[in-house]
Amino acid sequence: MTYELYYWSGIQGRGEYVRLALEAAGAPYRDFARLDGDRVLSAFGKGIETPSFAPPFLKDGAVVVGQVAAILLYLGDRLELAPKDERLRLWTHQIQLTIADFVVEGHDVHHPIGAGQYYEDQKPEALRRAEEFRDERVPKFLDWFETILERNPAGPDHLVGDRLTYADLSLFQVMSGLSYAFPRLMERLYGDYPKIAAVSAAVAKHPPIAAYLKSDRRLSPNEDDIFRHYPELDP
């Protein structure tokens, strides 16, 4: 069965967290909006009893799942990217939900007033929001991830257990986003988080992911995405 992934074309966005899991597992999938244009997103939800609020959403036969964390919870067992133990499976899901919070905060740096307004219309507020994000929020999240790695009974190579999970893939993706949006900040901080850096490097070298990162399926970050680079927000 080929999975069907629906997300906006032109950006990595939240769809990339799902895409990385599918790529890491070598799962067959069709990336509909990238292939057929964004029009498929508006047409997709018509007549579905359980419509998703917004992309991304995944279709697996009769099953339709929205929200990144829910999609990855669904795929975790099927792609062998989550522990079999229920306690650790829920722990992986909890980590993913926290990553989702981090992603929202990263987006809201450049759109602190409202997502429907242009960045240029909220630059003074964005400057203030970025300062707090750089000084307080990024270290707080990274401290937590580093602590998880330190306390993992199976060792610091993975967030959960002793093998790759979708949480590792998502941590790699959020670190990639931060490095693009805040290169000066991350140059200063990365050395303080050697375990996070090691996990991110290992994910990038994972053969299916390494091949994906070199392919044209991996879009470059840009200023329409969740993580955006505005030099004035990263002094």
Side-chain angles (χ1 to χ4, degrees):
M1 178 71 70
T2 298
Y3 293 104
E4 298 178 8
L5 175 62
Y6 294 82
Y7 192 68
W8 306 110
S9 61
I11 61 173
Q12 295 177 13
R14 291 176 176 83
E16 196 70 6
Y17 296 87
V18 180
R19 203 171 286 114
L20 285 171
L22 294 166
E23 292 282 349
Y29 72 101
R30 181 175 172 84
D31 206 337
F32 268 82
R34 289 193 182 176
L35 296 172
D36 300 332
D38 290 342
R39 64 185 180 279
V40 302
L41 299 176
S42 59
F44 179 80
K46 295 180 179 178
I48 293 179
E49 294 180 2
T50 56
S52 298
F53 178 73
F57 39 85
L58 183 86
K59 187 172 185 292
D60 179 21
V63 176
V64 179
V65 189
Q67 293 285 357
V68 170
I71 295 170
L72 293 175
L73 180 66
Y74 176 78
L75 289 175
D77 288 340
R78 291 161 177 79
L79 302 184
E80 297 185 352
L81 288 173
K84 298 298 182 185
D85 178 83
E86 182 178 17
R87 180 181 66 86
L88 293 179
R89 189 167 64 251
L90 289 173
W91 172 228
T92 308
H93 182 53
Q94 179 182 331
I95 295 171
Q96 187 65 44
L97 289 168
T98 305
I99 290 174
D101 291 341
F102 200 5
V103 171
V104 170
E105 292 199 24
H107 169 272
D108 288 353
V109 166
H110 52 77
H111 276 72
I113 295 179
Q117 300 183 34
Y118 290 110
Y119 165 67
E120 289 73 17
D121 296 330
Q122 47 194 312
K123 285 181 70 173
E125 294 83 4
L127 287 167
R128 294 200 297 271
R129 185 68 172 263
E131 182 178 9
E132 181 188 16
F133 187 70
R134 294 191 313 265
D135 295 347
E136 304 292 338
R137 303 305 292 168
V138 171
K140 185 170 185 175
F141 277 102
L142 297 188
D143 285 348
W144 188 72
F145 293 125
E146 191 80 1
T147 297
I148 290 173
L149 291 165
E150 290 173 354
R151 295 181 184 178
N152 183 1
D157 293 340
H158 300 285
L159 286 165
V160 183
D162 61 357
R163 57 181 296 179
L164 183 72
T165 68
Y166 63 77
D168 297 322
L169 297 167
S170 293
L171 179 61
F172 160 79
Q173 177 63 13
V174 79
M175 296 304 290
S176 296
L178 288 170
S179 295
Y180 172 76
F182 300 96
R184 294 171 65 86
L185 172 68
M186 297 313 294
E187 183 179 2
R188 297 192 298 268
L189 284 184
Y190 229 132
D192 296 334
Y193 301 98
K195 294 176 177 60
I196 293 175
V199 169
S200 297
V203 168
K205 293 178 181 177
H206 183 60
I209 295 298
Y212 169 63
L213 295 178
K214 294 177 182 177
S215 75
D216 58 5
R217 298 190 306 281
R218 172 75 167 187
L219 299 181
S220 298
N222 58 65
E223 274 51 75
D224 291 320
D225 216 323
I226 292 173
F227 288 100
R228 306 180 186 182
H229 177 57
Y230 296 112
E232 62 271 23
L233 302 184
D234 183 42

